[in-house]
Amino acid sequence: MLPYTAYLRVYQPLASFAPDERRRWEEYARSPHRPRRAHALAAEQAEVLGRLLVTPPLAAPREESRNAYLRRVEGLLYVCPWETRLRSWRAFTEFAERTPPSLSEAFVPEREAERVEEGYREWRASGAHLRPGILSSNWAVPVPWFVPFSDGERRLVASAGPTRALVYLTRTATGLERLERTGAVMTEHIGRHAVSAATERLVDWLRSVAHPGSLLELDYGGLVHLFDDARLAGERSVAEVAGAVEALAAGDAERVVELRDRLLRRWRSLRALEHAN
């Protein structure tokens, strides 16, 4: 996990877990030793960094993490397990598929690669679920991630340091309704081809991992440190995407272009930092 990474997380209601898991998460929520919410992302990143700094580095942990992100809404507990091993397996698979073996071995020794691949094969063969409840994106927030949220669900913590944060939270069912409406508007006014493959993958992921009563969170994560205070306070990409959809539905092409260009300029400038010297 890079320090400049955004996250999309699904929080499942406690009641959706099997009894044994439910009891474990209840005990976890009461534990004074678990990472508290303000520092949980830093704790997760430290765990990953520690695994990568050993010799040889571990591309995936040997056991699944027992930590989770927690939220309480209207008195109910919601849980988003870190699932670090599953996410690492999937990330390594993607890395291996797009990297020549001669180059990948410079990052991950052959024996470690074999261990990771074998562990993931056994997991798949066991019939266990293969999709984690957390997606991540380095250096930018993918545009489809803005669609499930509204500007009124925005929460900004502008203080300096590790607690600086920009987060949106909604009901997953509400987020799916917004994605479906946006797809319908784009199909009607532009054509079916206008709905990107990334949007379709997002809808498919949500339908496959989310309980009907779950919550969906967009966390800018480390990306907040790429904005100065004024730009962070004025960051309204969710509102701009929603405004562009409304303008498209109303036939206001000029407004659509204005909002689209504003959004693309902002995120293009941040993506450029990835390659900055």
Side-chain angles (χ1 to χ4, degrees), residues 179-237:
L179 280 162
E180 289 164 357
R181 179 180 182 277
T182 296
V185 169
M186 295 181 72
T187 298
E188 179 183 353
H189 294 272
I190 303 176
R192 185 69 185 88
H193 67 277
V195 180
S196 70
T199 299
E200 292 177 340
R201 286 194 298 271
L202 176 58
V203 171
D204 179 58
W205 174 71
L206 287 173
R207 286 176 174 163
S208 68
V209 304
H211 182 275
S214 64
L215 305 176
L216 180 64
E217 175 186 76
L218 170 58
D219 181 357
Y220 275 50
L223 296 186
V224 296
H225 303 298
L226 299 177
F227 294 87
D228 60 28
D229 290 347
R231 290 184 69 194
L232 185 61
E235 162 48 28
R236 286 294 198 282
S237 293

Side-chain angles (χ1 to χ4, degrees), residues 5-9 37 41 165-168 217-222:
T5 302
Y7 303 90
L8 200 62
R9 303 187 185 101
R37 174 153 189 90
L41 181 55
L166 178 55
V167 173
Y168 290 81
E217 175 186 76
L218 170 58
D219 181 357
Y220 275 50

Side-chain angles (χ1 to χ4, degrees), residues 127-200:
H129 76 279
L130 300 176
R131 290 188 169 187
I134 301 176
L135 299 182
S136 60
S137 174
N138 299 331
W139 295 100
V141 179
V143 172
W145 289 18
F146 297 125
V147 177
F149 304 94
S150 74
D151 191 59
E153 293 159 347
R154 180 179 188 268
R155 298 293 179 267
L156 172 65
V157 178
S159 60
T163 59
R164 196 171 197 243
L166 178 55
V167 173
Y168 290 81
L169 185 70
T170 193
R171 298 282 176 184
T172 304
T174 301
L176 276 168
E177 288 173 2
R178 290 167 177 159
L179 280 162
E180 289 164 357
R181 179 180 182 277
T182 296
V185 169
M186 295 181 72
T187 298
E188 179 183 353
H189 294 272
I190 303 176
R192 185 69 185 88
H193 67 277
V195 180
S196 70
T199 299
E200 292 177 340

